Amino acid sequence: MVAVTGCTQAVFQAVPGVLKVEQGYISSKIPYDSMSEAVIAHFKVVVDLKKLIDIHLETHASTRQHSRRDDYRSAVYFFDVETEKKVKSIISTLSRKRNKNYITAVLPFVAFKSSRESIQNYYKTRPDAPFCKRYIEPKLKLVSDILKN
């Protein structure tokens, strides 16, 4: 299981081996204790953590600050020290490989609260909505490309 920030429920639902994606709000320890939009992806052991992190980094603003960063934190949340080490190593490797300075934090998981029902599975229930066409479909194309490599 891994938790990541961003409006990416449909993105992680498209990854083979991901069993369930929970959309909601997540918090960590101070100074990251405010709730931020996030998803928790539950997956089988066979899912490649490097690919999941790669997908996360490439499908949201992982290299720049913006005015809503408190509400939309760029982060990966870990549940144990072993996962923390793996995630940090993966982000560092991808940063060097792509020559990108990722601002994505690696934070301990503290709490999660589900989103309201009306926005759960937004892409699955409204695939023709302008938001889905403009923002989610290009992300799904990126997922497909990453999974091929």
Side-chain angles (χ1 to χ4, degrees), residues 31 34-37 65-73:
S34 63
M35 294 302 247
S36 177
E37 237 186 68
Q65 294 292 350
H66 55 73
S67 62
R68 302 281 318 271
R69 194 46 86 192
D70 288 341
D71 296 325
Y72 301 100
R73 199 175 293 131

Side-chain angles (χ1 to χ4, degrees), residues 120-131:
Q120 294 285 337
N121 293 302
Y122 192 83
Y123 182 74
K124 283 186 175 184
T125 59
R126 300 168 191 88
D128 294 324
F131 178 86

Side-chain angles (χ1 to χ4, degrees), residues 94-113:
L94 290 171
S95 177
R96 284 190 310 275
K97 177 181 174 183
R98 296 202 176 103
N99 197 28
K100 290 184 178 181
N101 184 27
Y102 294 114
I103 62 165
T104 304
V106 180
L107 304 170
F109 172 86
V110 171
F112 181 80
K113 180 180 98 176

Side-chain angles (χ1 to χ4, degrees), residues 40-92:
I40 297 179
H42 301 264
F43 53 89
K44 297 178 185 177
V45 177
V46 296
V47 171
D48 183 347
L49 185 59
K50 182 177 181 252
K51 288 217 187 263
L52 286 177
I53 301 301
D54 194 10
I55 288 166
H56 173 61
L57 294 173
E58 294 299 304
T59 58
H60 81 286
S62 60
T63 59
R64 63 180 166 76
Q65 294 292 350
H66 55 73
S67 62
R68 302 281 318 271
R69 194 46 86 192
D70 288 341
D71 296 325
Y72 301 100
R73 199 175 293 131
S74 179
V76 175
Y77 297 82
F78 61 87
F79 297 87
D80 57 66
V81 176
E82 181 182 327
T83 303
E84 174 189 19
K85 290 176 185 175
K86 286 179 184 176
V87 170
K88 285 180 176 180
S89 175
I90 290 166
I91 292 173
S92 177

